[in-house]
């Protein structure tokens, strides 16, 4: 876990609605500012920093996904190569959690993700001058 992210932003715990955040740890520097800004606007975020010590991390992630109101998937070459990210997306899809695809860079989705995410309006971080407003 990136210590900078851990120090600056705590994962949400509580009964209010929250958004599950899926990203590759290799992209932490790119997603930290977005997560911090969303949190400063009162949006509760859960990400894997919220896994309790000594717990079964898969069970905690599964519970966090199924309890989420929405799911942000930060898409990059790194996240598309991450088996953890792909499992989280698949789990969210199978539980009909609304996914917000956010492209951190230009990349192509594998066919199985393109098939399910092409129906959703995606955000393009580098191309949208009002990106944070749209997010």
């Amino acid at each position: 876990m990136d210590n900078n992210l851990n120090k600056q932003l705590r994962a949400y715990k509580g009964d209010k609605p929250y958004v599950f955040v899926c990203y590759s740890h290799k992209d932490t520097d790119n997603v930290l500012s977005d997560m911090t800004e969303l949190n400063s606007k009162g949006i509760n975020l859960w990400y894997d920093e919220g896994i309790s010590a000594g717990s079964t991390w898969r069970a905690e992630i599964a519970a966090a996904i199924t309890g989420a109101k929405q799911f942000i998937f930060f898409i990059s070459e790194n996240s598309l190569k991450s088996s953890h990210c792909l499992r989280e997306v698949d789990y969210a899809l199978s539980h009909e959690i609304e996914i917000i695809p956010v492209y951190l860079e230009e990349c192509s989705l594998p066919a199985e993700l393109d098939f399910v995410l092409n129906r959703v309006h995606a955000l393009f971080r580098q191309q949208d001058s009002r990106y944070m407003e749209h997010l």
Side-chain angles (χ1 to χ4, degrees):
M1 165 65 19
D2 184 309
N3 286 333
N4 289 331
L5 186 57
N6 192 12
K7 288 178 189 171
Q8 296 179 23
L9 183 68
R10 295 281 179 210
Y12 178 74
K13 292 183 190 230
D15 296 330
K16 294 181 181 175
Y18 63 90
V19 176
F20 184 98
V21 180
C22 176
Y23 67 99
S24 167
H25 283 218
K26 292 178 181 177
D27 296 325
T28 298
D29 290 342
N30 291 325
V31 302
L32 174 60
S33 62
D34 293 357
M35 290 172 64
T36 301
E37 187 166 343
L38 288 170
N39 189 254
S40 74
K41 292 180 179 189
I43 297 171
N44 298 316
L45 302 172
W46 192 98
Y47 67 105
D48 57 1
E49 182 273 333
I51 299 172
S52 304
S55 66
T56 305
W57 65 270
R58 285 188 178 121
E60 288 222 18
I61 289 173
I65 292 171
T66 57
K69 182 171 177 66
Q70 293 176 310
F71 183 108
I72 296 176
F73 178 32
F74 284 101
I75 301 170
S76 67
E77 292 295 335
N78 293 324
S79 65
L80 293 174
K81 292 176 185 171
S82 166
S83 61
H84 295 296
C85 289
L86 296 177
R87 277 195 303 271
E88 290 170 2
V89 170
D90 187 52
Y91 196 75
L93 287 167
S94 69
H95 287 82
E96 299 182 2
I97 306 299
E98 178 185 351
I99 295 179
I100 302 167
V102 176
Y103 285 85
L104 296 176
E105 60 194 26
E106 192 171 320
C107 53
S108 297
L109 293 177
E112 65 272 15
L113 282 180
D114 188 40
F115 179 71
V116 293
L117 293 180
N118 68 2
R119 63 182 170 78
V120 179
H121 178 71
L123 297 174
F124 297 86
R125 190 172 194 251
Q126 302 303 326
Q127 299 170 9
D128 185 350
S129 61
R130 294 173 42 205
Y131 161 71
M132 280 309 298
E133 181 183 332
H134 292 140
L135 183 59

